[in-house]
Amino acid sequence: MNKMLVAAAVVAVGAGGYWYSQQEAEVSTSDNAVMAYIPADTPIFSGQLQPFPIKSYINSLSDAYKQSGANALSEWEGEDEPRAQFFHSLMKSYLAAMKDGDTFINTFGLAENIRSYFYTLGAMPVLKLEVANADAVWALLDKAEVDSGLQHVPAQLKGVNYRSYPLTDTNEDEQINLIVAVHDSILTLTLDTSFSEAALLETALAVTPVEHSIVDAKIIEDIIAKHGFTNEGISYINHQEIVKAFTSTDGNQLARQMTKLFEMAEEDPFAELRSPVCDQELSAIAANWPRTVAGYDLMDISSNESSLSYRVVFESKNQIMLDAYQQMRGYIPAYVQDIDNSVATLGLGIDINQMVPSLQAIWDEMLTPEYQCAPLQEMQTQMSQQSPAMLGMFTGMANGVKGVGLSVIDYKINDDVDSPEIESLDAVMTLSAENPAMLFNMVKPFAPELANIQLPTDGSAIVLNDVLPMPPEMKVTAKLAVKGNHLVLFFGDKGEAVANTLSSEAIASNGLFAMSADYMKMFAPLLKFIELTGEPVPEEFKAMKDYDMRVKVELDVDNKGIVIDSAVNSRATK
């Protein structure tokens, strides 16, 4: 097993569930002792700034979802390497603890409400978590040691006791160790290496504060004020600090660490980027796209149900590109947003009339600077050999189209073991345009089966079963109608009800992409169909029919950047 992958897994194992919290209090990073040890130049940060009700959240999840990671354990069963077995034991304890909220907090020594932080000291990951019972942490690790045979080395640094677990073989030139400490009710997980500075571990263990912290720079307050997030939890990736690390030898902590590593390896793969011209040009690009930030807009958690709304923003100061993306926005119907009354929905909002001009504006903006940095020159050369204008040949016939939408509202499978079929289907599909009837008539010459179909102009529907290859045993009727600015294909009474609402729904530029899914509604009939056919049911599908969970994702652009909105609602099931 690749030992560096094992080391990387430490962060993944520990950082799985710390992205949540909900309070009404004002955020105050200056009062948080942890933040004084996080440097302002950290490339990555994610902080649970207010206590999160972890016990209630675990209880609110369906039992099937809690055990969704059980199948992954089988991949570790054949590993006899002590380090792999160590993490295998921890994962088994984690899955067993997911039984309910009380078991979870007791297993890991947590309080009912916790704060947590993940960040990097340059490249070195640090995870911190509030704990109420340190003995539970040590008992968990002791069990993993017994199960695996991997032993820790006890150590102390300026009054802080910690355990060091080797992640590399003793005969390797460079050593990497997992560090675990509990001090002042804070659990710290980090890495220590033979090639890192001694002061790095002191900072990670909250012994030596940094000169210029994230608190001093007021980064968290700036993100909340700029994007209107709630103050429960904030995350970000600092693109400027990452670029600085690749274009300089000592511009920040990450740059200095990379320089030392390259000196040890006697090879610098980024030497070409560390020229003054590349530094200047790449830094200018990063200044236009400075950060990816994320935070909560909503959190409502109880022991029976949880609702979370999370937003990610790719910040941009390039107004030309933002204007072009916004011009491209099309129309996404209201029914696509309806997460409660659908099995699954999908919407793509693109203003076809604006797509080519917008893409051309973005293309021109990327080609306008005459870059001198070789990698950027090469990128521009490749781009200049192509042009979005060619898309105009394919979009001409779709003139006036603003978007498409699809919703599977409901479907059922019959109980016929010999011939399982879709018994009923309620669904709707729309094409939204300035003149949908004209578009339909333009398509007819290319589809002979549609040649004799005349769409009524009063919004009434026509039956398409003679046109669409619908099996006669399926009790499904396909209908087509023009409803205002929408060409609508629908099935079933529920589909017809949605179609009728579209008559008064005016098209507007309201987004780029949206999708949603209800796991129970989606997978329960599907798994029934697979079982009736006698085909083996994929392991990853079996539990999904019991996930009482709804998810929604939206992609859009505003004057601050590219935005991804996601929402998750889950209910406890037994």
Side-chain angles (χ1 to χ4, degrees), residues 168-389:
T168 49
D169 294 330
T170 55
N171 59 356
E172 294 188 31
D173 293 336
E174 303 298 341
Q175 298 295 305
I176 300 176
N177 301 293
L178 167 65
I179 304 301
V180 184
V182 178
H183 184 67
D184 290 338
S185 298
I186 297 291
L187 166 67
T188 299
L189 296 175
T190 188
L191 300 178
D192 186 34
T193 72
S194 57
F195 47 85
S196 58
E197 301 173 358
L200 204 62
L201 185 57
E202 293 183 7
T203 301
L205 294 180
V207 172
T208 303
V210 296
E211 292 184 1
H212 187 57
S213 73
I214 196 173
V215 177
D216 299 328
K218 298 187 181 299
I219 295 174
I220 304 301
E221 291 89 343
D222 171 67
I223 291 174
I224 292 176
K226 182 175 182 180
H227 297 284
F229 296 127
T230 58
N231 56 29
E232 297 90 1
I234 296 296
S235 306
Y236 69 83
I237 300 174
N238 192 322
H239 305 160
Q240 291 178 286
E241 294 296 343
I242 292 174
V243 167
K244 192 181 298 182
F246 286 101
T247 60
S248 71
T249 58
D250 61 354
N252 57 20
Q253 189 174 47
L254 180 57
R256 292 189 292 273
Q257 291 173 353
M258 291 174 59
T259 299
K260 183 175 180 179
L261 285 174
F262 297 153
E263 289 175 352
M264 292 170 56
E266 299 181 348
E267 181 182 4
D268 185 351
F270 302 108
E272 187 177 30
L273 298 180
R274 292 183 170 178
S275 65
V277 65
C278 283
D279 183 11
Q280 179 181 354
E281 292 176 352
L282 286 169
S283 296
I285 294 173
N288 263 338
W289 299 86
R291 294 179 303 201
T292 298
V293 301
Y296 286 101
D297 292 317
L298 168 70
M299 180 167 293
D300 184 10
I301 295 177
S302 69
S303 293
N304 298 318
E305 184 174 357
S306 292
S307 295
L308 311 173
S309 180
Y310 196 70
R311 179 159 42 102
V312 178
V313 182
F314 301 91
E315 290 183 338
S316 178
K317 297 179 181 179
N318 189 317
Q319 201 58 50
I320 293 176
M321 285 194 175
L322 288 181
D323 288 344
Y325 284 125
Q326 288 177 313
Q327 287 293 322
M328 227 180 349
R329 296 169 76 236
Y331 178 72
I332 297 176
Y335 70 81
V336 173
Q337 317 284 345
D338 189 356
I339 192 173
D340 295 319
N341 298 303
S342 303
V343 174
T345 68
L346 180 67
L348 179 64
I350 297 290
D351 188 331
I352 292 296
N353 292 0
Q354 296 295 327
M355 185 173 74
V356 172
S358 297
L359 290 176
Q360 189 64 57
I362 294 169
W363 212 262
D364 293 342
E365 172 66 10
M366 296 180 70
L367 293 175
T368 296
E370 296 184 1
Y371 290 128
Q372 303 302 309
C373 179
L376 294 177
Q377 280 185 330
E378 182 179 352
M379 176 201 71
Q380 285 187 321
T381 299
Q382 293 176 350
M383 290 184 62
S384 64
Q385 296 171 358
Q386 304 174 33
S387 173

Side-chain angles (χ1 to χ4, degrees), residues 60-65 304 339-344 408-413 516-529 540-551 569-574:
S60 73
L61 300 174
S62 65
D63 288 347
Y65 183 77
N304 298 318
I339 192 173
D340 295 319
N341 298 303
S342 303
V343 174
V408 177
I409 303 168
D410 195 10
Y411 75 108
K412 295 179 181 178
I413 306 295
S516 70
D518 185 313
Y519 282 88
M520 291 186 77
K521 291 180 181 178
M522 179 185 296
F523 285 101
L526 178 60
L527 290 176
K528 176 183 176 181
F529 176 79
E540 57 270 23
F541 282 2
K542 285 183 179 179
M544 288 186 175
K545 66 181 177 64
D546 296 319
Y547 284 13
D548 195 352
M549 180 179 293
R550 288 139 298 281
V551 299
N569 171 264
S570 61
R571 301 189 189 106
T573 57
K574 302 302 179 183

Side-chain angles (χ1 to χ4, degrees), residues 382-404:
Q382 293 176 350
M383 290 184 62
S384 64
Q385 296 171 358
Q386 304 174 33
S387 173
M390 297 177 61
L391 290 173
M393 296 185 295
F394 304 100
T395 60
M397 290 190 63
N399 186 52
V401 171
K402 302 295 183 181
V404 294

Side-chain angles (χ1 to χ4, degrees), residues 502-523:
L502 293 169
S503 298
S504 59
E505 195 169 312
I507 53 177
S509 298
N510 64 356
L512 289 171
F513 175 81
M515 64 175 294
S516 70
D518 185 313
Y519 282 88
M520 291 186 77
K521 291 180 181 178
M522 179 185 296
F523 285 101

Side-chain angles (χ1 to χ4, degrees), residues 4-146:
M4 291 302 293
L5 290 179
V6 173
V10 173
V11 176
V13 169
Y18 68 89
W19 295 74
Y20 314 103
S21 62
Q22 171 77 14
Q23 296 289 333
E24 292 299 326
E26 291 296 320
V27 63
S28 179
T29 55
S30 60
D31 293 336
N32 193 328
V34 173
M35 307 289 278
Y37 297 87
I38 304 176
D41 68 356
T42 180
I44 300 173
F45 170 84
S46 183
Q48 184 64 58
L49 305 177
Q50 302 290 343
F52 170 70
I54 185 67
K55 176 182 174 180
S56 295
Y57 179 70
I58 296 296
N59 285 332
S60 73
L61 300 174
S62 65
D63 288 347
Y65 183 77
K66 293 174 187 177
Q67 299 304 315
S68 59
N71 292 333
L73 289 179
S74 59
E75 299 178 8
W76 296 71
E77 293 294 347
E79 291 284 352
D80 55 4
E81 206 269 346
R83 282 160 291 209
Q85 285 301 311
F86 181 79
F87 292 112
H88 185 207
S89 175
L90 291 177
M91 283 302 299
K92 286 196 295 185
S93 296
Y94 170 81
L95 289 173
M98 287 291 287
K99 174 184 176 183
D100 56 58
D102 280 321
T103 303
F104 191 85
I105 65 174
N106 291 334
T107 299
F108 291 96
L110 306 175
E112 293 187 10
N113 302 282
I114 62 171
R115 285 178 290 195
S116 58
Y117 310 84
F118 176 79
Y119 56 95
T120 61
L121 298 172
M124 197 65 70
V126 181
L127 175 67
K128 289 184 178 288
L129 186 71
E130 290 181 337
V131 294
N133 180 11
D135 290 339
V137 176
W138 303 130
L140 192 67
L141 293 172
D142 288 342
K143 180 181 182 301
E145 291 187 25
V146 172

